[in-house]
Every structure is written in structure tokens, then in C-alpha cells.
Amino acid sequence: QAQLVESGGGLVQPGGSLRLSCGGSGFTLDYYAIGWFRQAPGKEREGVSCIVGSQRNTYYAGSVKGRFTISRDSAKNTVYLQMNSLKPEDTGVYHCAAARSIKIFSSTWWREDKYDAWGQGTQVTVSS
């Protein structure tokens, strides 16, 4: 069965770093656009980042641009989200999701309805 599994979450102090992983099982992630979404307590889920193709196109929410980096490791069938300079407002459950690349455009990468498969999420907590 096609599955996405996130890992790498945890508790980190403000200013610290975490690297989240999104691993694919049953399909090749390179054939899909992979997005990262997060949901903070009491807030709506929001798009964080997306990668399309072989790292040709990447997108970031304004709140994380310059601090987060999305990348692929095709050999490991994995997409990463490197998160640096973490802030308490980065706290939330992070999910990765897959979409057909043809559906993703620069102005709409953050639309959840474009993504067909979702992982179960990994908790990120930024606190002193």
C-alpha cells in the first residue's frame, strides 16, 4: 500500500533545529509534489513548504522562508524539511502530503485539496 510516514519531530529550544523526514512506501516520491503542512493548537492547518520535481521548484510560507529548507534524497525515497532558528510559533503537528505534480502551481501549492495522500504527522514542540 502507498504510505507516507513522517519522523524527526521532538522537543527543541527556541533557536534550535530539527530535520523532519517524509518517507514513502509503495510509491516513488520523486513522481509527486511533496508538501509539508502544520497545525498549531487551536489554529487551522497551514502549508509550510512544497517541493516539485527534482528540486526544480520549491515553495515556502512567508513565516518560514529563510529558516526552513525542503529537499529530496531520491536514493532514500525521502523528502526532508530542515528547520532552523525555530520559534515557539513553529510548534504544531507536521504532516507531509503528496500531490500529482501537474496540480501544483506557485500560487496554489498550499491548497490542501490538491494533495491526495497524507502521513499521520509528527509533533514539533519549540519551548524553553
Side-chain angles (χ1 to χ4, degrees):
Q1 290 182 300
Q3 295 182 31
L4 292 172
V5 180
E6 304 95 334
S7 63
L11 175 64
V12 65
Q13 293 183 325
S17 298
L18 286 172
R19 188 180 71 168
L20 305 184
S21 298
C22 176
S25 178
F27 68 104
T28 301
L29 269 59
D30 280 356
Y31 298 157
Y32 297 86
I34 303 297
W36 284 97
F37 295 78
R38 69 186 181 190
Q39 186 168 23
K43 296 185 178 180
E44 296 293 322
R45 187 160 57 192
E46 63 177 347
V48 177
S49 186
C50 179
I51 186 166
V52 182
S54 300
Q55 301 185 196
R56 180 173 181 177
N57 295 309
T58 58
Y59 307 102
Y60 298 92
S63 60
V64 307
K65 192 173 182 64
R67 299 189 296 121
F68 291 10
T69 303
I70 191 169
S71 63
R72 294 182 188 266
D73 186 333
S74 297
K76 296 181 178 180
N77 200 32
T78 300
V79 170
Y80 300 102
L81 183 67
Q82 178 67 46
M83 307 187 296
N84 298 326
S85 302
L86 284 163
K87 304 174 180 179
E89 51 262 45
D90 294 318
T91 294
V93 178
Y94 284 68
H95 294 84
C96 64
R100 291 185 177 273
S101 296
I102 195 173
K103 297 182 179 180
I104 303 300
F105 297 90
S106 61
S107 61
T108 58
W109 65 268
W110 46 267
R111 284 179 52 177
E112 295 183 18
D113 62 300
K114 293 185 175 292
Y115 295 82
D116 303 310
W118 294 75
Q120 63 183 17
T122 185
Q123 176 70 44
V124 172
T125 303
V126 184
S127 177
S128 60

